Amino acid sequence: MLAGMKKWMRFAAACSAAVLLAACGRSVVVQPHRDVTAPHRSAAAPRTVPGSYRVLRGDTLYSIAFRHGLDFRDLAAWNGIGSPYTIWPGQMLRLAPTQGRPTGTRPPVASAPARPAAPVFKPVAPAPSRPGAVTPAPAPVAATPAPPAVPAPKGATRTAGGVNWRWPAEGTLIKKFQSGDAIPGIELAGKPGDPVRAAADGVVVYSGNGLVGYGELIIIKHNDDFLSAYGHNRKRLVKEGQRVSAGQLIAEMGSTGASRDELQFQIRRDGNPVDPLDYLPSR
């Protein structure tokens, strides 16, 4: 009987071992420990980073510098962009110099967009005529008369900063310059369609409506230091790259981006807003 009990105990031990082996054969999924204090990382990269700007359709280097209160020459130098300052939609621009690196030299500034060189025509020697042949006389070419120049209306002017300034509109001054304003400049009242004129000779470097708060906007570069801006127009009459003269009609007054019909006028020196009354002639 003792032998039988030992045999039965050996059988029970074998069964227990089989059960344990079967349990050990199951797969176990271990959940890794998650550190809730670790920063969450998004799979998608941010569209912009602090101190940068992604170029939108219709932007120019001048309008971007104007929007952020920068000198366009610095913005070009920080991004290695030379004249004529070509940029494209989607391009990322630095709005400040790279830390720890030299800012570089400002690229040379062209006073006006380069014009393509006129084609060069080589004279062609006439074919030798046959004996007795009559050489026809060249047909006269009628000269195309140049379009008559339309003189700008006369008005008081003042030379300041190397620029000969004049008032851009005849309206009443309804708001003076405040350096802390979000849109620093002066405002001139008027009626819809009143003429808006260039305050000085220059080149149009922006003509569009991409800057929030300005409506239909025109920016003119007068020299390497000075820009002027004309906002809230009803209609723009000049295009980017066009050279304009002081007093030339460039827009019609309106209320785009504003609650009333007015001209929002700015002068910027080296990218910084300045009081236009310090440059315009006395009224």
Side-chain angles (χ1 to χ4, degrees), residues 202-236:
V203 176
V204 179
V205 293
Y206 180 77
S207 180
N209 55 14
L211 275 71
V212 176
Y214 288 92
E216 300 293 338
L217 175 68
I218 294 170
I219 301 176
I220 298 175
K221 180 169 78 74
H222 303 291
N223 58 23
D224 292 352
D225 301 318
F226 285 95
L227 300 174
S228 62
Y230 313 74
H232 304 321
N233 302 294
R234 180 177 76 175
K235 184 178 181 181
R236 293 174 281 110

Side-chain angles (χ1 to χ4, degrees), residues 6-233:
K6 290 182 178 180
K7 183 177 181 181
W8 182 86
M9 291 177 65
R10 286 196 298 269
F11 176 76
C15 291
S16 299
V19 172
L20 291 174
L21 289 174
C24 294
R26 294 178 182 177
S27 60
V28 179
V29 178
V30 178
Q31 295 290 342
H33 173 68
R34 180 181 178 185
D35 184 1
V36 295
T37 63
H40 175 68
R41 296 181 180 180
S42 174
R47 294 182 60 84
T48 58
V49 295
S52 67
Y53 176 81
R54 186 180 295 276
V55 178
L56 303 176
R57 185 175 300 278
D59 281 340
T60 68
L61 187 82
Y62 296 92
S63 68
I64 296 171
F66 186 90
R67 176 187 284 119
H68 294 92
L70 302 172
D71 189 309
F72 70 94
R73 294 167 294 181
D74 290 332
L75 182 61
W78 297 335
N79 293 277
I81 301 173
S83 179
Y85 309 120
T86 302
I87 57 178
W88 59 90
Q91 181 181 1
M92 291 293 293
L93 298 180
R94 289 194 298 270
L95 301 180
T98 304
Q99 294 183 356
R101 296 183 182 179
T103 59
T105 306
R106 286 179 174 178
V109 179
S111 58
R115 296 182 179 180
V120 178
F121 297 97
K122 295 182 179 180
V124 180
S129 58
R130 298 189 304 273
V134 178
T135 303
V141 178
T144 303
V150 179
K154 295 181 179 180
T157 60
R158 177 185 178 186
T159 301
V163 179
N164 196 27
W165 301 97
R166 57 164 292 153
W167 283 84
E170 298 296 331
T172 304
L173 178 65
I174 56 177
K175 183 179 181 299
K176 292 186 176 181
F177 175 80
Q178 297 289 336
S179 60
D181 287 350
I183 301 180
I186 62 174
E187 295 176 1
L188 302 174
K191 301 184 301 296
D194 279 357
V196 175
R197 303 182 184 279
D201 298 345
V203 176
V204 179
V205 293
Y206 180 77
S207 180
N209 55 14
L211 275 71
V212 176
Y214 288 92
E216 300 293 338
L217 175 68
I218 294 170
I219 301 176
I220 298 175
K221 180 169 78 74
H222 303 291
N223 58 23
D224 292 352
D225 301 318
F226 285 95
L227 300 174
S228 62
Y230 313 74
H232 304 321
N233 302 294

Side-chain angles (χ1 to χ4, degrees), residues 246-264:
Q248 180 177 335
L249 183 64
I250 60 172
E252 295 177 358
M253 191 178 295
S255 59
T256 57
S259 58
R260 59 190 173 190
D261 294 298
E262 63 182 27
L263 170 65
Q264 207 284 338

